[in-house]
Every structure is written in structure tokens, then in C-alpha cells.
Amino acid sequence: MTQLKEITTTINNYIKNGIERLNEDRAKKIFKKLGLPVVQEIRIEAIEDIHRAAQSVGYPVVLKGLAKQMLHKTEAGMVEVGITNAVRLKEAAQRMKSRAGKNFEAVLVQPRVQGRREFTAGMFKDPQFGPVIMFGVGGVLTEALKDIVLRLAPLSEKDIDNMLDNLKAQALLGSFRGEAAVNRTELKSVLRGLSDLAMACPVIREIDINPLIISPDGSPVAVDGLMILKKPESDNTHVHQKINLKGLYTTFYPKTIAFVGASAVPGKWGHILPTNAYAGGFKGKIFLINPKGGTIMGRDVYKTIDDLEGDVDLAVITVPANRVIDLIPALEKKHVKGMLLITSGFREVGDQGRQLEDEIMTAAGKAGILVIGPNTMGLCNPHASLYICGANAFPLAGATVLVSQSGNLGTQLLAFAEQQGIGIRVFVGSGNEAMITIEDYMQALESDDLTRTVVLYIESVKDGRRFFESAVRLSKIKPVVVLKGGRTQVGEKAASSHTGAMASDAGVFNAACTQAGIIQVEQPMELLDMSTVFSSLPMPKGGRVAIMTLGGGWGVVTTDLCAEYGLRVPKLSPEIIERLSNCLPDYWSHGNPVDIVGEGDPEIPRICLEELLKWDGCDAVIHLGIHGRRILFNATANAVLKTDPDTTKEAADMLMANFLKEEADYTRYTVEMTQKYNKPIVGVSLLTDELSRTLYRYDDLDYKGVFFPSPERAVKALAGMVRYRKWLDSAKANI
């Protein structure tokens, strides 16, 4: 702690003296004071004394030139390695002095550090997430290989271990070409020191140690480094406006709703939203407001807000952007607690829209009105029969929260959730997030007992550090699943133009998610796939998977997918092979995956499934091809009817009814087994049709049946559960 105070004082003095770039010499003095392993070196300002310095450190030496405003010495020809005598040394020093001209300061004489492995470590200040620590493969190949790991400071011991474990070039950390394995304790001290320094001294913008050479005995040595400082200035980052969480709750449980801008024209927002509110069975009062008065949808229309009797909880606004601010005094008189601002034409269209948006938020804040949006597709809360969004979708009440910065994407997912029987806790299209941000929703959900899974589509965050800290807290009590738009440079540009907010660097965002236990997905449908398994199945205790398949090909594909997504497919024990052999023919696979070789006896998959669940060598079961066979049987029955005159329709219908019952019984059986053994069972349907669903629920059972249309979706969903379980276990171990 004393060293950090001294270092902070030194750095603040540099800034006072107008020095914002610390060259290698100054930077490494700070590293050394911090306790980091730094190469021995001698600073020489008079070239005549250079030979004596080289003799002191011992030839061969490395010579480096220092010059004002020069950070990258190699590119400027200010580094020469392996100098073996005084003549070459003096010539090299003179060349460097000549190249630097009047900016020349000194040269550094260093011993040539032996070691085949070079790493890089550092810190940079992300504008959204704050100090970020970096570790990776170093030297001249840093930019080419891009094998780096990022984590947000401050680093815990778990974070540091995770950084080392996630380096792709793991072989470099072990014994390598006759050199000892890296001393992890010393290497971890470097990363810990950078983290401590970043947190203690916020004026540091960048730190770079490259290369960090590993000596033959495994010890790391900082051979080069630099630091960039930044004068304190006015904070232009997002200022969090504290949100009344009780008021936000009321917005999703209103007793009265006013639709300001109601329309009689089908297809307009002013018609779509009240139509869905009525159709969804909202139990409270609904007021329609339009200056023309009259009736809309057979209901009386009020000309102004002032004409309403009593107070209003939620105002849904669809009038043009330039008319919104004039509504606020009337809304305040009616004690409106929440405004759902559907209207677009604000921040997302440019500076004029930004100014108008800011004025409205200021006025609404003074009036005590919480604003969702603007530029939002709406919200829904099935638990309150509240459906006010652009999609004509009415999903079941459930435990999955869906917050989306893209209204269209969110409403598409809502429609799919309704079709597949996936329950929704609440949905909100957060829009421009002018007042209520995604971080606010995350904070509110921490204490919501009805929420089991939080699903987010994000294009940008207003406050990266708050997002990260909220995610850490939330992930400890319920899984958070995120799809990030703008993961590529092209996508990031599209995201910026779509939301009017710059997305933070994807690498830093990914690091924050990993560190916070967030499960990231790559496709929109994976958001609901993850919410399905989290809200319907028990958590796996580990990543060992038993596979049961109707045919060998699917088993092979699923095994490959498990390996690709970090799941293990362990060998069957002799005991379970013996038990399975009692019900399967002699030519079954005798391994994992368990190929039940197309057996038609409906009892065989049941017996095999339970035997696999009994096995203490697996944590979850994926079963393929048993569900969905009725579709194949139906096609077969129709073909027989067309070709065999002796087969009656009644006989074919009876056969199909039997197949339907078998499938329904098997589906329920999988849920019963899930409950009995407390292990997740994930199904893959052989075929799907309009009757097929992802989720099968039973009122008398705690868990649900989960069936995906492809092995990939099944494996990805299960792998997400396993990743979250590992993070939870690690988080608990570090408490």
C-alpha cells in the first residue's frame, strides 16, 4: 500500500510538470517500485561512458535509445540486440543519437535476456468499462497473432487464473523446448500489480509491458515498457440518474392506461397498441385520447388528458416527437407515474433530435415521470394481462425476462415464445434508453422473485462499469443471457446508427460478460433456447453428457458438437454396458453415444434413458430421434392408404392415435425422470411440424419437457448451462 501511495505521488508530479508519456526508463522504475520483475539496466547520457556500463552488465548487451515523444523504439531504429563489443556498441549509440536529433535523452544498456517465450501484459482505460488488464502472446507477433485475454480491474485471484487458463497458446506456459514451465506465481504477481496500479492511480491511461520474456528457469522479466498518463478533466461519461424502482414496478402493473394519440386507422401505432391491450384482457381502465374525440373501436375518445376522470398510472405516447414535451404538464396533473414513449425521431436521428430528447427527459424527471424509450416497440407483462407492444403476441406468463434494445427483434422473439409455449415474466423494448437504461432493468430484476432467467439483446451500454457490476450481482442469483449486436466492425457501425450510441469495443464487452458470468450467444433464437433450459430444467452438476440416439449418425454429430462446445462424452462403465445389453440387441454400439439401433419397442428408450440417468458418470442426457417419430409414421400411414386397398382409414387413424399416445407418454416420462434424478434431459426431435413445441409443461410436475429441432441447438443450450454452473461454483469458492 505504501508503494502505491509513493507511485501515485510520482505520477501526479509527472502530470503537474506536463509529462504525460513515460518512456521505458521511467515506466520501469515504477514497475520496479511496484515489485514487478524488471530487467537490470544502466541509463547513460554521455556516450563516452557506455563501454563501462556494458562491462558492468556483461556482453552481449541490448542497447536502446530514449528520445522525447518517442514511444515505439523498434520502429524508429532505436533498439539493437546482441552487441558483443565496444566498437559496435559505440557505433550503435551514435546512430541512435543522430536519429533522435535534438530529442535525444539517453541510452539504456541492458543484458540480453535469454528465453524463447515472449508475452505481453498491460492496461488500458476503456471509455465505458474503465481499467482493463491485458495478457497475451508478446513480442513482434502481438498484433499478428492477437492471442490476448482481457479482464476488467480490479482482478480477483479467480480472474487472474482465468486469464492464464484462457490463453490459446497454453503450451507456452508449460515446459517448452528445454525451458522450465512458467512460474505462475510470479506471472500472476505482474497481472495483480497492474490491476492494483490501475485502481490506485486513475490518471494512467495505458500501461504496456512488451516483451515480458520468460527466462529458461521460468521466471518472467519485463524487458520493455511504457506508460501514458492523462490530465484529470471534466467527466463526460454517462451520469446515472437514479431510478425509482418502485415506480418502475408500477409501470408494469398499471391500473389505468391512457393512450395519447389513439387512432381509428388499423396499422397505425395509435390503433395497434390499444387493440393489443384490449385483446390481451387487461383488467384495468383504458382511456383513448385524440383531439378529434368521437369513438374508436366502439369506445369513447377523450380530446385531452385533462378531460380524464381521476389519475393515470401509465401514459402510452404515439404523437409526433415535437408535441411530446407539451403533454408533460397535463400528465403531471394526472399523477402519471410512467410514460411509454413509442414515438421515434429523437437521439437516433441526430443532434436536433438529441436536444429534444434531453429536454423531454429533464421535464419528465422534474414531473416525477419515468420514461421508457423513446423509440420503443412497447412492453408486456403476462402476469398482469398487460400487452402493449407492436407484435400481436400474447405469450404465457412465465419466468423469463426479455429486455431488447431492438424492438423488432424483441417482438419476434415474443411471437416465437407464444408459439412454443415459453413463459415470459416481462418484455420491454428499451429503445433509446434516455432515462431508464438496461442497467436499471438489471438492478430491478435482482429482487424480483418471479424472474428465473434474464435475457438481453444489447447494441450498446450507457455505463459499462455499472453494467458489469450489475451483471456480477445478478448472475449470482439468476442466469443472464446476452446477444450483443455490433460484434464486428461493420455490425458495430450499424448498431451505432440504429441506436444513436457508440458500442464499446467488442473484446472488452466479451471480457466483461465472461468475468460477470453472463452467457453470451450468437443468434437471436439462442436467447430463447437458453431461457428455455434455464427455466425448465435442473442445473447440471458438471459437463459430462450421456447421449442416446435412434440412429448412429446423429450420435456422431452430437459427440463432435459436445467436444466443440466444451462438454465431455465419457466412456460407459462396464456395469452400465451390461445393464443396457439386457434390453438392446447384441449389435448395439456398446458405448457412449448409446445407439438403440432404431428399435420400435416403446419401452426400450425408456429403459435406456433411466439407466443412463442412474449412472453417476453423467450429469445430463441428450436423447435424439425418439420424439417426432409420429410425423414419420403419419407419412407412412398416408402412403399405405394410397397404395393398399385392404387398409382402411379407420385402421390408419387408430394406428396414428396409438403413435400419438406413445409420443405423449414418452414426453411426459422424460419430465418424470428429470424430476426423479434431478439431472437435465434435453431432447432432439426426429421431425417437427405445426404441433411440435420446444416446451412441454405439466401442472403436476416441477420441470418441463425440452425438445429442440437440431442437435446443435440442444448442445449449445446444455453447454451454456454448464458454463454458468462452472462460473457459479467458482464465484462461491471465491467468497
Side-chain angles (χ1 to χ4, degrees), residues 469-528:
E469 292 170 352
S470 296
V472 171
R473 293 193 305 270
L474 190 56
S475 291
K476 289 178 180 177
I477 51 179
K478 53 197 75 174
V480 180
V481 186
V482 167
L483 172 62
K484 174 68 168 64
R487 289 171 292 150
T488 64
Q489 288 185 343
V490 175
E492 187 171 322
K493 184 177 180 181
S496 176
S497 61
H498 179 57
T499 64
M502 286 297 292
S504 187
D505 176 72
V508 177
F509 184 87
N510 293 342
C513 288
T514 300
Q515 210 168 338
I518 289 174
I519 307 302
Q520 281 190 276
V521 299
E522 298 176 345
Q523 302 294 333
M525 202 54 63
E526 293 177 56
L527 290 171
L528 288 182

Side-chain angles (χ1 to χ4, degrees), residues 413-659:
L413 291 173
L414 269 189
F416 182 79
E418 178 187 28
Q419 178 191 9
Q420 296 298 317
I422 300 170
I424 297 296
R425 168 65 181 101
V426 294
F427 159 76
V428 60
S430 60
N432 289 7
E433 298 184 8
M435 181 180 290
I436 305 175
T437 67
I438 208 139
E439 297 86 22
D440 293 316
Y441 294 115
M442 293 170 72
Q443 183 180 347
L445 293 169
E446 290 178 35
S447 58
D448 184 60
D449 294 335
L450 293 179
T451 299
R452 286 188 59 182
T453 309
V454 178
V455 173
L456 309 173
Y457 172 74
I458 297 174
E459 291 178 352
S460 66
V461 291
K462 289 270 196 296
D463 185 338
R465 180 57 64 158
R466 183 171 172 239
F467 169 83
F468 169 69
E469 292 170 352
S470 296
V472 171
R473 293 193 305 270
L474 190 56
S475 291
K476 289 178 180 177
I477 51 179
K478 53 197 75 174
V480 180
V481 186
V482 167
L483 172 62
K484 174 68 168 64
R487 289 171 292 150
T488 64
Q489 288 185 343
V490 175
E492 187 171 322
K493 184 177 180 181
S496 176
S497 61
H498 179 57
T499 64
M502 286 297 292
S504 187
D505 176 72
V508 177
F509 184 87
N510 293 342
C513 288
T514 300
Q515 210 168 338
I518 289 174
I519 307 302
Q520 281 190 276
V521 299
E522 298 176 345
Q523 302 294 333
M525 202 54 63
E526 293 177 56
L527 290 171
L528 288 182
D529 287 352
M530 291 307 313
S531 73
T532 296
V533 292
F534 277 127
S535 62
S536 307
L537 300 173
M539 285 292 294
K541 293 181 174 61
R544 301 169 301 173
V545 181
I547 300 170
M548 182 179 74
T549 175
L550 191 66
W554 255 8
V556 173
V557 168
T558 304
T559 301
D560 288 341
L561 287 167
C562 285
E564 183 179 347
Y565 289 100
L567 301 176
R568 288 178 52 212
V569 181
K571 291 182 179 180
L572 299 180
S573 66
E575 293 77 16
I576 194 171
I577 289 175
E578 182 179 351
R579 293 201 301 269
L580 291 171
S581 295
N582 291 329
C583 66
L584 291 172
D586 294 340
Y587 52 87
W588 77 281
S589 60
H590 289 77
N592 186 15
V594 176
D595 183 359
I596 63 173
V597 292
E599 286 293 308
D601 183 351
E603 287 302 310
I604 288 180
R606 294 181 178 219
I607 295 170
C608 292
L609 180 62
E610 184 163 14
E611 289 296 342
L612 291 173
L613 290 166
K614 288 178 183 176
W615 179 34
D616 60 7
C618 87
D619 303 302
V621 176
I622 297 176
H623 58 114
L624 306 103
I626 293 93
H627 184 270
R629 286 189 293 174
R630 61 171 177 80
I631 302 170
L632 185 63
F633 293 149
N634 185 49
T636 301
N638 287 332
V640 171
L641 276 175
K642 291 179 180 179
T643 58
D644 186 353
D646 294 332
T647 300
T648 64
K649 188 175 185 306
E650 290 74 16
D653 289 344
M654 187 177 297
L655 186 64
M656 268 309 301
N658 185 53
F659 286 142

Side-chain angles (χ1 to χ4, degrees), residues 114-118 172 176-179 213-216:
Q114 301 299 315
R116 300 174 183 272
R117 292 162 290 180
E118 295 186 354
L172 295 179
F176 185 78
R177 293 190 175 183
E179 296 184 345
I213 294 179
I214 306 301
S215 301

Side-chain angles (χ1 to χ4, degrees), residues 659-689:
F659 286 142
L660 283 169
K661 184 178 185 307
E662 281 184 9
E663 184 162 298
D665 290 346
Y666 177 75
T667 302
R668 180 182 171 87
Y669 178 79
T670 63
V671 186
E672 292 171 346
M673 291 298 99
T674 299
Q675 194 144 320
K676 181 176 180 179
Y677 292 98
N678 200 37
K679 293 181 180 181
I681 302 173
V682 181
V684 178
S685 301
L686 179 65
L687 295 169
T688 59
D689 61 10

